[in-house]
Amino acid sequence: MNERENIIRLWFDMWLKQQDLGIDDIFTEDVVYTESWSPKYQDRKTVKHWFDEWNTRGKVLIWDIKQFFHKGNQTIVEWYFKNEMNAGSIEEFDGISLVEWTDDNKIKSLKEFGCNRNNYNPYQYGDQPRFRDEKANWF
């Protein structure tokens, strides 16, 4: 399990350092990577292109791992994420990644799921819900 956790930590570190420290080593050639807001990259070449291109437009400020869960050839990692884009917008959210592994510990599938950090109780003031008048986040 530690090897798999270290691979995930390496992936997060690549984003924090804005450097490819081994994408070819951790992903299968035919990896399927799905972001929480719907983009889907269907091979390692595209994942590498996305990584390189995205890092020209923004910077990951924080990608903290909270915990791991392992079962068979799958790992779930819970995390907190924050980035800043070059235009000044900042995004932050909690999330999980569902990782599917090959027998030699390469990532063959990774799906991200995000959760808004700006939570509230719509029933705080009574039996009828009061929802915020705001656009829902994309994840």
Side-chain angles (χ1 to χ4, degrees), residues 11 15 18-21 23 45-58:
W11 177 236
W15 286 95
Q18 296 185 290
Q19 295 178 341
D20 178 349
L21 302 171
I23 290 174
K45 181 181 176 184
T46 306
V47 169
K48 288 177 78 156
H49 175 76
W50 161 56
F51 175 85
D52 291 336
E53 186 279 324
W54 189 96
N55 278 292
T56 68
R57 295 183 288 115

Side-chain angles (χ1 to χ4, degrees), residues 9-138:
R9 289 181 201 285
L10 175 61
W11 177 236
F12 287 21
D13 284 346
M14 288 187 211
W15 286 95
L16 292 164
K17 294 176 181 176
Q18 296 185 290
Q19 295 178 341
D20 178 349
L21 302 171
I23 290 174
D24 288 333
D25 299 327
I26 67 171
F27 291 103
T28 62
E29 191 172 328
D30 60 347
V31 65
V32 177
Y33 195 115
T34 307
E35 289 192 86
S36 59
W37 57 287
S38 74
K40 186 176 192 177
Y41 314 109
Q42 299 205 56
D43 57 46
R44 186 173 60 217
K45 181 181 176 184
T46 306
V47 169
K48 288 177 78 156
H49 175 76
W50 161 56
F51 175 85
D52 291 336
E53 186 279 324
W54 189 96
N55 278 292
T56 68
R57 295 183 288 115
K59 176 159 180 49
V60 174
L61 303 173
I62 302 169
W63 204 353
D64 286 340
I65 292 172
K66 296 180 181 182
Q67 59 185 329
F68 291 98
F69 299 92
H70 303 283
K71 182 177 181 187
N73 71 336
Q74 295 182 320
T75 298
I76 293 175
V77 56
E78 181 186 11
W79 40 261
Y80 162 70
F81 178 90
K82 182 175 183 179
N83 71 11
E84 183 173 9
M85 301 310 288
N86 293 346
S89 65
I90 295 175
E91 301 169 311
E92 65 178 320
F93 56 97
D94 291 315
I96 64 167
S97 295
L98 172 61
V99 180
E100 188 177 349
W101 302 94
T102 62
D103 290 339
D104 60 345
N105 289 331
K106 285 199 173 191
I107 298 171
K108 67 179 178 179
S109 173
L110 192 152
K111 291 182 183 177
E112 295 176 351
F113 302 87
C115 186
N116 191 330
R117 293 178 57 89
N118 190 16
N119 303 124
Y120 67 98
N121 177 359
Y123 298 102
Q124 179 178 357
Y125 301 107
D127 292 339
Q128 294 300 313
R130 292 187 192 179
F131 297 105
R132 291 182 183 152
D133 186 20
E134 62 186 26
K135 183 179 179 238
N137 281 335
W138 40 260

